[in-house]
Amino acid sequence: PAMDSSEWHLLIVHGSERCAASMVQHGRRASLRALAACGHAWPRSGPGLQDTLPAANLLPVAEARSLRERFDGVFAFSIVDVAGERVAIGSDVLGTFHLYWRVFDDGVAVSSSSRFLASITRTDLDPIGVQEFVSSGTPNEDRSLWQGVQKLRGSQILLIDRNGRTALEPHRPLLSLLHEPVRGLEASVAELHRAIGSVLSRLTTSGRPIVDVTGGNDSRALAAAMVA
């Protein structure tokens, strides 16, 4: 993005022009802070992602952590803090909505398409990323198919300042679930039933959602519940 002391010019590659325009206008009205989002998200409580107002008392990274912990779904977002001259960018906590970023001489570009970022200026294929894609279907860690194009992992929040400096903030809220006590079979079945019921409730009351059905046991259980 091109930036000066009074205005941020932000291009949302994935999303609608209306989303980009309303984000900039909203930022100017609301103490120069704005939130833009793409994808489909369900709030655990409070307003939806598109209706969430930026919190003036939170730093962008703290606000990003709060959003990721409050919403389920497949989504990406950016929080623009013009006064603080920085942007926080992230996705859902599982990283199901893929985001990629690339550093240029005059700024940083973020997109849901690694191919788009690779096409801005010529870059070569990443041999390790290609090998992993051919063998497993996806490049691992922060790699993509292209050299210089990095994938934003689900455990990270990307921070960008007005000078194009970047930083990756760790955020792993799902790790706390690993420390829960081990449940017996009966309790696990009851928890699975509760979780599927919660998912079905959100799917039937949230318009046309995006669902990542991979064919594993949980996806099969969800598909069976929807058919039933």
Side-chain angles (χ1 to χ4, degrees), residues 114-189:
S114 62
R115 183 178 181 181
F116 171 81
L117 296 180
S119 69
I120 296 177
T121 60
R122 177 177 171 78
T123 185
D124 295 325
L125 291 170
D126 184 321
I128 298 179
V130 171
Q131 180 182 12
E132 292 173 340
F133 177 79
V134 171
S135 61
S136 63
T138 183
N140 296 324
E141 300 175 340
D142 60 353
R143 286 184 288 278
S144 73
L145 293 175
W146 310 94
Q147 295 183 21
V149 179
Q150 300 182 65
K151 179 168 61 179
L152 184 61
R153 304 174 71 175
S155 60
Q156 296 173 329
I157 298 169
L158 175 63
L159 298 178
I160 309 172
D161 70 12
R162 63 170 284 106
N163 297 312
R165 290 188 294 260
T166 61
L168 291 170
E169 289 287 332
H171 184 227
R172 303 179 178 90
L174 296 180
L175 283 181
S176 60
L177 300 178
L178 298 178
H179 302 292
E180 293 185 356
V182 177
R183 297 184 176 95
L185 178 60
E186 184 176 349
S188 297
V189 171

